[in-house]
């Protein structure tokens, strides 16, 4: 093994010990004897990916070393490296990769490298720009469609003509104030540059005479390391999370909101209205609502960059990770309205009619008033009969009383029992 390899972890299994190195390789040894023997190497790659750009079926990756590689990603689950080219000083670190057209722009510690990537199998270094002394350091670059590269160094923002990538030429520069030295990131939109410096952002008009427009202090003096622009908003990746800045008026920016993430955000990729944030995992955020939509788990190491496309999301972080893009869940279909079944109305039972009181008279036919009159008639008739009976009784008693006074002997004889009469 190379004695300079850094071992990150070790585990033991039956028949072998596995060592994972800083070169993203897995070495398997046979330890059944006292002299372990290397039996296989898996996942070894000459590219420690730190920045990525993808288009179609090709992904261009900037590797620590430094170098630039190209991958065939026609089968996203099995990317294949098809091209590799070394860049300048092997001890330089790769800071950023930007691809415009068929030219890749790679920022290392002291140089901006221009590489022809038109043929993925044959990457050709066209030129390098920089190296202006030991204290000259490069941090970030943005290239617009007018063939101007905005190279951010420790002391200035250089505007470089790259219409001929093989012969870059300085056009003008903006001298960063001494108190704002050593910035970290730059991006440009509509002739305005947005530069991150420590815990604030410089906004510079990069026209014929570059001029500072505004200086925005980040919330809670947090440090930020990346910017993504979309419309009138700037999305800053900071140690507290993602900070949204309203830049509709570049000379008067304002903080619009903060999506907090304790792990910090080191890279932001925007596709449409969806943002992919690189933290200790990959977060998916809806920019319209600020809501977290999804998260993708992987093992972050270097905290590199994220680059979303319509077909895949690429993450360069000491390796190349390819994720499926976020798709909104398909809502369940709304069931068609059904005709409600009518609730049966219960048929009321007939109210029982009480039977009429028994009477000797034939039942009368008529309405309710006739029945009342019948009852009244019956009562009146009963009263009349009672009166007549009483009168008749009194008449009879009177006649009997009169007879008793006219024939008293007869009455006496009638009072004497028959067996009491003498013979």
């Amino acid at each position: 093994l190379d004695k300079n390899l850094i071992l990150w972890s070790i585990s033991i299994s039956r028949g072998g010990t596995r060592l994972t190195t800083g070169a993203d390789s897995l070495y398997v040894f046979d330890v059944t004897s006292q002299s372990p023997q290397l039996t296989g190497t898996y996942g070894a790659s000459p590219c420690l990916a730190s920045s990525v750009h993808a288009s179609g079926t090709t992904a261009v990756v900037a590797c620590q070393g430094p170098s630039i590689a190209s991958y065939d990603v026609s089968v996203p689950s099995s990317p294949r490296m098809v091209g590799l080219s070394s860049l300048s000083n092997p001890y330089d670190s790769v800071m950023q990769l930007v691809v415009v057209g068929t030219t890749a722009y790679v920022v290392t510690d002291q140089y901006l490298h221009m590489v022809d990537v038109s043929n993925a199998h044959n990457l050709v270094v066209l030129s390098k720009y920089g190296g202006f002394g030991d204290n000259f350091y490069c941090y970030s670059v943005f290239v617009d469609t007018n063939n101007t590269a905005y190279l951010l160094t420790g002391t200035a923002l250089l505007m470089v003509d790259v219409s001929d990538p093989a012969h870059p030429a300085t056009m003008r520069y903006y001298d960063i104030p001494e108190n704002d030295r050593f910035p970290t990131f730059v991006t440009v939109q509509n002739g305005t540059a947005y530069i991150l410096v420590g815990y604030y952002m410089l906004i510079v008009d990069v026209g014929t005479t570059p001029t500072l427009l505004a200086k925005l202090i980040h919330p809670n003096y947090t440090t930020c390391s990346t910017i993504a622009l979309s419309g009138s908003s700037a999305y800053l990746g900071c140690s507290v999370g993602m900070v949204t800045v309203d830049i509709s008026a570049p000379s008067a920016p304002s903080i619009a909101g903060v999506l907090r993430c304790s792990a910090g955000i080191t890279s932001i990729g925007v596709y449409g209205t969806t943002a992919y944030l690189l933290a200790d995992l990959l977060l998916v955020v809806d920019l319209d609502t600020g809501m977290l939509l999804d998260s993708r788990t992987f093992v972050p190491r270097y905290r590199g960059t994220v680059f979303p496309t319509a077909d895949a999301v690429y993450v360069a972080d000491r390796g190349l990770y390819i994720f499926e893009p976020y798709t909104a869940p398909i809502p369940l279909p709304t069931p068609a309205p059904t005709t409600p079944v009518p609730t049966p109305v219960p048929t009321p039972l007939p109210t029982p009619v009480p039977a009429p009181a028994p009477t000797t008279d034939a039942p009368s036919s008529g309405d309710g008033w006739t029945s009342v009159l019948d009852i009244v008639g019956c009562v009146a008739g009963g009263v009349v009969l009672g009166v007549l009976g009483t009168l008749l009784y009194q008449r009879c008693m009177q006649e009997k009383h009169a007879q008793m006074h006219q024939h008293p002997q007869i009455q006496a004889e009638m009072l004497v029992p028959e067996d009491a009469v003498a013979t």
Side-chain angles (χ1 to χ4, degrees), residues 4 9 33 42 49 54 87 90 126 143 145 150 174 176 186-187 192 220-221 281 284 299 316 333 338 363 377 386 414:
N4 294 320
S9 65
S33 65
Y42 300 91
L87 302 173
L126 300 174
V143 182
T145 55
Y150 299 85
Y174 169 73
I176 297 176
V186 64
T187 188
T192 303
N220 299 326
Y221 293 91
L281 69 168
V284 185
V299 182
T338 57
M414 292 181 62

Side-chain angles (χ1 to χ4, degrees), residues 129-209:
Y129 173 90
F132 304 134
D134 294 338
N135 295 322
F136 179 82
Y137 293 98
C138 304
Y139 294 97
S140 178
V141 69
F142 179 88
V143 182
D144 65 16
T145 55
N146 295 322
N147 296 316
T148 299
Y150 299 85
L151 179 62
L152 185 62
T153 71
T155 58
L157 177 64
L158 304 178
M159 281 143 270
V160 183
D161 180 4
V162 291
S163 55
D164 180 2
H167 301 91
T170 304
M171 300 167 56
R172 57 189 181 276
Y173 65 91
Y174 169 73
D175 192 10
I176 297 176
E178 185 173 354
N179 293 336
D180 302 332
R181 295 292 171 88
F182 302 104
T184 56
F185 195 91
V186 64
T187 188
V188 180
Q189 177 177 267
N190 299 328
T192 303
Y194 300 85
I195 304 171
L196 292 181
V197 183
Y199 55 83
Y200 51 87
M201 177 172 65
L202 301 177
I203 302 178
V204 178
D205 180 349
V206 290
T208 305
T209 305

Side-chain angles (χ1 to χ4, degrees), residues 271-304:
Y271 189 84
T273 60
T274 303
Y276 296 85
L277 317 180
L278 189 59
D280 53 351
L281 69 168
L282 183 62
L283 305 175
V284 185
V285 175
D286 185 339
L287 294 178
D288 288 338
T289 63
M291 294 182 60
L292 179 65
L293 300 175
D294 196 6
S295 62
R296 312 291 175 83
T297 303
F298 71 107
V299 182
R301 297 181 182 178
Y302 183 71
R303 304 290 291 276

Side-chain angles (χ1 to χ4, degrees), residues 176-375:
I176 297 176
E178 185 173 354
N179 293 336
D180 302 332
R181 295 292 171 88
F182 302 104
T184 56
F185 195 91
V186 64
T187 188
V188 180
Q189 177 177 267
N190 299 328
T192 303
Y194 300 85
I195 304 171
L196 292 181
V197 183
Y199 55 83
Y200 51 87
M201 177 172 65
L202 301 177
I203 302 178
V204 178
D205 180 349
V206 290
T208 305
T209 305
T211 306
L212 178 66
L213 298 176
K215 183 176 180 179
L216 177 71
I217 298 177
H218 306 151
N220 299 326
Y221 293 91
T222 182
T223 57
C224 301
S225 59
T226 187
I227 309 175
L229 301 181
S230 180
S232 60
S233 296
Y235 301 96
L236 282 57
C238 307
S239 57
V240 296
M242 184 178 75
V243 177
T244 303
V245 180
D246 180 359
I247 55 172
S248 54
S251 59
S254 61
I255 303 295
V258 179
L259 177 65
R260 298 193 176 276
C261 176
S262 59
I265 305 298
T266 58
S267 180
I268 301 176
V270 175
Y271 189 84
T273 60
T274 303
Y276 296 85
L277 317 180
L278 189 59
D280 53 351
L281 69 168
L282 183 62
L283 305 175
V284 185
V285 175
D286 185 339
L287 294 178
D288 288 338
T289 63
M291 294 182 60
L292 179 65
L293 300 175
D294 196 6
S295 62
R296 312 291 175 83
T297 303
F298 71 107
V299 182
R301 297 181 182 178
Y302 183 71
R303 304 290 291 276
T305 60
V306 57
F307 188 88
T309 68
D311 303 317
V313 179
Y314 299 86
V315 175
D317 187 11
R318 295 276 175 170
L320 180 62
Y321 299 84
I322 303 177
F323 298 90
E324 292 183 352
Y326 172 79
T327 55
I330 300 175
L332 295 176
T334 303
T338 57
T339 304
V341 178
T343 304
V345 178
T347 304
L349 296 176
T351 304
V353 179
T359 178
T360 56
D361 299 333
S364 60
S365 60
D367 56 12
W369 286 105
T370 303
S371 300
V372 172
L373 293 176
D374 290 344
I375 295 172

